[in-house]
């Protein structure tokens, strides 16, 4: 008799906690556990504004999935489809390879998607606060603007470089504005 295959889609708080609990609850040979996630780390999203402001380093808000999940196989990528009848999840790996992953049980915890409002210029000029890369970009951009403002000889240029707009009044927007 083969061991049941449990597939978890999503490497955020819900997906990682599900894998942790399964590892603690199930005996080592009782089931195969796999986790589909685009990154090999769990990201503490509430701390990204502190990364953007330079208070925290990117490494301090990312926890290794492999270090915390000893019995779970990590599949680097994202689910792009699920066939519930055939019990197959279609995954696009980070290499762009498309693979079919069979399962007996599936847990769907893919996380949230950043909303973009119908604000002119937001999609062209705005930067998100959802990934380490975005937080690091904001930090580097703000520092560059401060340096350029300091070096500016024109007062209008200096003033314009010292103005930043944060769109959104939720947790990420409020914390980003406060930290910056």
């Amino acid at each position: 008799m083969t061991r049941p295959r449990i597939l978890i889609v999503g490497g955020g708080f819900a997906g990682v906690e599900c894998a942790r609990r399964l590892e603690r609850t199930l005996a080592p040979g009782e089931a195969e556990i796999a986790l589909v996630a685009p990154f090999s780390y769990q990201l503490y999203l509430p701390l990204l504004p502190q990364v953007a402001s330079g208070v925290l380093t990117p490494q301090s808000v990312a926890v290794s999935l492999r270090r915390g999940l000893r019995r779970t196989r990590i599949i680097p990528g994202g689910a792009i489809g699920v066939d519930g009848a055939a019990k197959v999840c279609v995954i696009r790996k980070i290499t762009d390879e498309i693979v079919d992953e069979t399962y007996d049980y599936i847990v769907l915890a893919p996380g949230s998607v950043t909303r973009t409002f119908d604000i002119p210029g937001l999609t062209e000029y705005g930067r998100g606060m959802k990934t380490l890369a975005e937080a690091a970009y904001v930090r580097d951009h703000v520092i560059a603007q401060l340096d350029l403002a300091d070096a500016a000889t024109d007062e209008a240029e200096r003033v314009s470089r010292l103005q930043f707009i944060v769109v959104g009044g939720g947790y990420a927007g409020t914390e980003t504005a406060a930290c910056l």
Side-chain angles (χ1 to χ4, degrees):
M1 183 170 166
T2 62
R3 298 183 298 171
R5 300 179 64 153
I6 303 169
L7 181 65
I8 304 164
V9 175
F13 286 106
V16 171
E17 184 58 24
C18 179
R20 280 189 187 126
R21 287 186 186 210
L22 287 170
E23 284 188 1
R24 282 194 307 262
T25 305
L26 300 174
E30 199 170 346
E32 293 179 29
I33 307 166
L35 176 75
V36 179
F39 306 108
S40 63
Y41 55 83
Q42 179 183 12
L43 187 60
Y44 287 93
L45 291 174
L47 296 178
L48 284 179
Q50 283 80 3
V51 172
S53 66
V55 173
L56 295 175
T57 65
Q59 296 83 357
S60 62
V61 301
V63 177
S64 169
L65 291 177
R66 295 186 190 287
R67 186 174 295 157
L69 300 172
R70 302 287 181 172
R71 295 177 16 217
T72 300
R73 181 171 56 99
I74 309 296
I75 303 170
I80 57 173
V82 175
D83 182 343
K87 292 194 172 189
V88 172
C89 181
V90 181
I91 299 169
R92 175 178 283 125
K93 290 186 173 181
I94 59 173
T95 59
D96 274 341
E97 176 188 5
I98 305 293
V99 296
D100 291 340
E101 188 72 26
T102 60
Y103 62 85
D104 295 301
Y105 303 96
I106 190 167
V107 177
L108 298 174
S112 62
V113 176
T114 301
R115 292 181 296 161
T116 56
F117 303 98
D118 190 22
I119 299 172
L122 180 62
T123 56
E124 294 87 5
Y125 304 109
R127 298 292 179 249
M129 188 59 64
K130 191 80 169 176
T131 67
L132 278 177
E134 289 172 335
Y137 174 86
V138 169
R139 180 200 60 221
D140 293 347
H141 178 73
V142 168
I143 290 170
Q145 294 310 305
L146 294 174
D147 289 342
L148 289 167
D150 185 50
T153 56
D154 179 50
E155 186 62 25
E157 178 187 354
R158 180 191 330 262
V159 169
S160 71
R161 291 194 183 278
L162 295 175
Q163 295 179 8
F164 302 94
I165 297 172
V166 176
V167 177
Y171 180 84
T174 304
E175 279 295 308
T176 300
C179 288
L180 290 177

